Structures are given as structure tokens and as C-alpha cells.
């Protein structure tokens, strides 16, 4: 039986993995929240990895607030870069395969067609830059790793765009959503299955992978889909935001080629 450590287990992906873990009886899971395992603390990682000989570590721990990252870059880099470096270093020592979740935001969004795993990276915000540094630490330190870039995660867990739109619509609020960014909304449950199938199938296709759901949409288009799915389309006002601005720059087109 393969032992699998999941860091950041209380986040969207971590909870999605917990939800389907029983479907993989051949895997022995240990779930650790960020409070139970702080990847910025080497001692914390060493203590958790000493519990047993883990075959895999799925790193779901991350600083994910894109807007706040611009205001507190040191925190974003501490988790997404240095924390990942710590984890990669110890996983290598323990001969544990690291599966790390990364992002479409390592790209600048100027290509205009879906990004391949071989395309040049060029992040345009602090979050993307910190995630790219994390990727680079893994690549420089390890051979047996999977870096899985994904995008626009949503689920029934935590805070996400889907839940926010649905809540506001149910409250009867007017919705104003930008249509100047295009990506692939991805259900965290589908990503969880992809990750666990890599493990169950004993894949050795190490390196960078892209995984998203199939449909590319703008945020406005995604909001439309959410309303339709929940029989709310036409019942609340949905308009395209004019002069939409965010503190962090975001890629205009960040669709990933699977």
C-alpha cells in the first residue's frame, strides 16, 4: 500500500481529495492542514514526513490570494517559493515523489492560443512569480516530481468564484463581471481524480503537466454558466463590467493545453 501525505488539506483541493479518498483503497492517506504542517518550517515538514515512509506528497499548501500578494509579496514568496523549496528538499531526502499544484498565472496571457507545458513563462503579478519560483526550486532539486498547472479552481469547498456568484444571485443582487480575461474554470474534484489516478496508475511521466476542465470561458461567461446550472439565468441582472480594474495584473488569455 502506498502512503500519501497531503499538505494544505483544508483547502479546496485538499478537501476534494478527502472526499474521494475512499475510492482509492490501495492508497493510505495522511491529511495535514496548514496548521498541522507549515511548509515554511523545515522542522514541521521533517516531523510529519518521519511518521512513515511516504511514497507521495501532494502539496496543496499555497498562498493563493492574488490581490493581497501584491501588497505583501514577502508572504507569497515565503509560502509559494521558499516553502516549496523546503518541501522539495526533504521529499528528495526521503525519496518521496512530490506532486505540486501550480497555476496558469505563470504565463503573461499574451500568446492568444492555449499554452503548452514547453511554452516560455512570464508571470505578470506577484502570485504568478512566486508560484514560478516554487516550480523552479522543484526542477532544480528533484527528478521524481509532478508539477501540475491548473486554473480557476472551484468546488463546494472554501471561497471561490462559483460560490460567490451563486450566493449573490440567490440574494437577488445585480452582478457585474468582467469579460476581458479568458481561462478554463476547473472543478477541484476533477483535478483531485487526475492527481490520484497518477498515483494509482504508478505514472512515471515526471515533469510539468497541465490539467483543466475542457471549456474555456471569460469570467462573464463562467457567471452565465453558473446561473444556468442553478436555474437562475434571467432571474437576476448580469452585466459585463466596464473599466474593470484589479490591483494585480492578470493574464488576458491563460488557457492551458492539456
Amino acid at each position: 500500500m502506498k502512503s500519501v501525505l497531503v499538505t494544505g488539506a483544508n483547502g479546496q483541493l485538499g478537501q476534494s481529495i478527502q472526499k474521494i479518498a475512499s475510492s482509492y483503497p490501495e492508497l493510505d492517506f495522511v491529511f495535514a492542514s496548514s496548521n498541522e504542517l507549515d511548509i515554511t518550517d523545515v522542522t514541521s515538514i521533517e516531523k510529519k514526513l518521519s511518521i512513515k515512509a511516504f511514497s507521495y506528497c501532494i502539496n496543496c499548501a499555497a498562498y493563493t490570494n492574488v490581490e493581497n500578494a501584491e501588497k505583501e509579496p514577502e508572504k507569497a514568496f515565503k509560502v509559494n517559493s521558499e516553502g516549496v523549496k523546503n518541501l522539495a528538499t526533504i521529499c528528495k531526502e526521503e525519496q518521496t515523489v512530490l506532486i505540486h499544484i501550480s497555476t496558469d498565472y505563470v504565463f503573461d496571457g499574451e500568446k492568444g492560443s492555449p499554452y503548452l507545458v514547453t511554452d516560455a513563462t512570464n508571470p505578470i503579478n506577484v502570485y504568478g512569480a512566486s508560484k514560478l519560483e516554487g516550480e523552479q526550486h522543484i526542477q532544480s532539486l528533484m527528478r521524481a516530481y509532478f508539477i501540475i498547472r491548473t486554473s480557476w479552481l472551484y468546488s463546494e469547498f472554501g471561497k471561490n468564484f462559483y460560490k460567490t456568484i451563486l450566493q449573490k444571485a440567490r440574494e437577488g443582487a445585480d452582478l457585474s463581471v468582467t469579460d476581458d480575461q479568458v481561462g478554463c474554470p476547473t472543478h477541484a474534484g476533477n483535478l483531485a481524480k487526475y492527481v490520484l489516478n497518477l498515483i494509482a496508475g504508478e505514472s512515471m511521466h515526471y515533469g510539468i503537466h497541465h490539467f483543466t476542465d475542457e471549456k474555456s470561458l471569460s469570467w462573464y461567461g463562467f457567471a452565465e454558466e453558473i446561473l444556468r446550472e442553478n436555474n437562475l439565468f434571467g432571474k437576476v441582472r448580469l452585466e459585463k463590467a466596464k473599466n474593470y480594474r484589479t490591483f494585480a495584473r492578470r493574464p488576458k488569455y491563460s488557457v492551458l493545453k492539456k
Side-chain angles (χ1 to χ4, degrees):
M1 181 175 282
K2 301 182 191 72
S3 293
V4 182
L5 174 64
V6 181
T7 68
N10 285 352
Q12 276 198 88
L13 180 57
Q15 290 189 73
S16 296
I17 293 172
Q18 291 186 60
K19 183 177 178 179
I20 64 171
S22 61
S23 299
Y24 296 82
E26 71 277 25
L27 304 181
D28 175 29
F29 291 94
V30 172
F31 293 97
S33 69
S34 296
N35 288 332
E36 295 166 326
L37 195 170
D38 178 0
I39 65 170
T40 68
D41 182 350
V42 172
T43 303
S44 179
I45 301 171
E46 289 174 336
K47 184 177 179 181
K48 189 62 72 172
L49 279 167
S50 68
I51 293 173
K52 59 177 71 182
F54 287 104
S55 302
Y56 293 86
C57 173
I58 305 171
N59 182 36
C60 303
Y63 181 106
T64 58
N65 192 315
V66 178
E67 290 293 284
N68 282 353
E70 299 296 317
K71 303 166 188 173
E72 46 186 30
E74 67 288 343
K75 289 186 179 180
F77 276 91
K78 185 177 182 181
V79 177
N80 295 341
S81 175
E82 290 306 309
V84 173
K85 182 180 180 181
N86 294 339
L87 199 55
T89 300
I90 298 169
C91 281
K92 181 182 179 182
E93 291 172 357
E94 298 293 330
Q95 297 184 312
T96 299
V97 177
L98 178 59
I99 301 178
H100 174 67
I101 309 303
S102 193
T103 176
D104 55 328
Y105 279 24
V106 298
F107 297 112
D108 59 19
E110 297 297 325
K111 182 184 177 186
S113 59
Y115 282 96
L116 308 175
V117 296
T118 52
D119 282 334
T121 52
N122 184 35
I124 58 174
N125 56 40
V126 170
Y127 169 69
S130 67
K131 292 293 285 184
L132 179 59
E133 267 199 13
E135 288 188 9
Q136 292 168 339
H137 286 313
I138 293 170
Q139 291 173 301
S140 67
L141 290 164
M142 303 185 74
R143 183 191 66 83
Y145 67 84
F146 296 92
I147 293 170
I148 303 175
R149 294 176 182 150
T150 190
S151 63
W152 299 22
L153 279 189
Y154 69 97
S155 69
E156 62 268 46
F157 305 112
K159 295 180 180 179
N160 56 68
F161 182 83
Y162 190 107
K163 289 176 69 176
T164 298
I165 291 294
L166 185 56
Q167 180 183 343
K168 288 184 176 181
R170 284 175 171 165
E171 292 170 352
D174 291 342
L175 303 172
S176 180
V177 183
T178 183
D179 70 340
D180 64 1
Q181 296 161 30
V182 175
C184 287
T186 302
H187 194 282
N190 294 334
L191 177 58
K193 289 175 187 174
Y194 179 76
V195 170
L196 297 190
N197 287 341
L198 282 177
I199 297 173
E202 299 183 345
S203 174
M204 295 184 69
H205 294 293
Y206 299 133
I208 298 173
H209 292 222
H210 285 173
F211 179 85
T212 63
D213 287 344
E214 298 294 341
K215 198 168 187 177
S216 59
L217 295 165
S218 68
W219 288 113
Y220 178 86
F222 188 21
E224 278 191 322
E225 292 280 316
I226 293 166
L227 296 180
R228 290 183 195 280
E229 252 185 35
N230 293 278
N231 298 313
L232 291 166
F233 189 75
K235 297 179 181 178
V236 295
R237 184 179 178 184
L238 172 64
E239 61 182 21
K240 294 178 182 177
K242 296 177 180 178
N243 301 316
Y244 179 76
R245 294 289 183 270
T246 57
F247 196 69
R249 291 179 64 203
R250 295 168 189 251
K252 293 178 182 178
Y253 184 94
S254 59
V255 175
L256 300 176
K257 178 73 172 176
K258 289 172 68 173

